Amino acid sequence: MEKHKATETRSDAVEREIDSNLKKAFDTLASEPIPDRFANLLDQLKTKGSEPAKSSGNGAGDTNE
């Protein structure tokens, strides 16, 4: 049983190390500025999202007949 307990402790230490390294990597990535290309795309999406929906005028998809 002692050997199993040592393996479990080592496994916990490995998991903590992995968690720590993933957090460091994510924090570094999250603190980087958004590339201009992505910022422009986000601006375009915001603009399209605030515009009223345009009707195609062909009646396709209309359910109010």
Side-chain angles (χ1 to χ4, degrees):
M1 235 27 201
E2 297 277 334
K3 189 174 187 178
H4 177 68
K5 193 171 189 175
T7 303
E8 187 175 309
T9 302
R10 190 175 319 134
S11 184
D12 289 344
V14 169
E15 285 185 27
R16 281 194 302 275
E17 185 69 22
I18 291 170
D19 289 347
S20 176
N21 288 333
L22 285 172
K23 184 176 182 340
K24 286 177 191 174
F26 179 77
D27 286 346
T28 300
L29 182 63
S31 66
E32 292 179 6
I34 297 174
D36 290 339
R37 179 174 172 220
F38 292 137
N40 291 338
L41 288 171
L42 289 171
D43 288 340
Q44 290 175 12
L45 288 172
K46 286 179 188 175
T47 301
K48 286 190 179 222
S50 63
E51 293 176 2
K54 294 180 182 177
S55 174
S56 63
N58 65 8
D62 290 345
T63 57
N64 295 336
E65 293 183 15

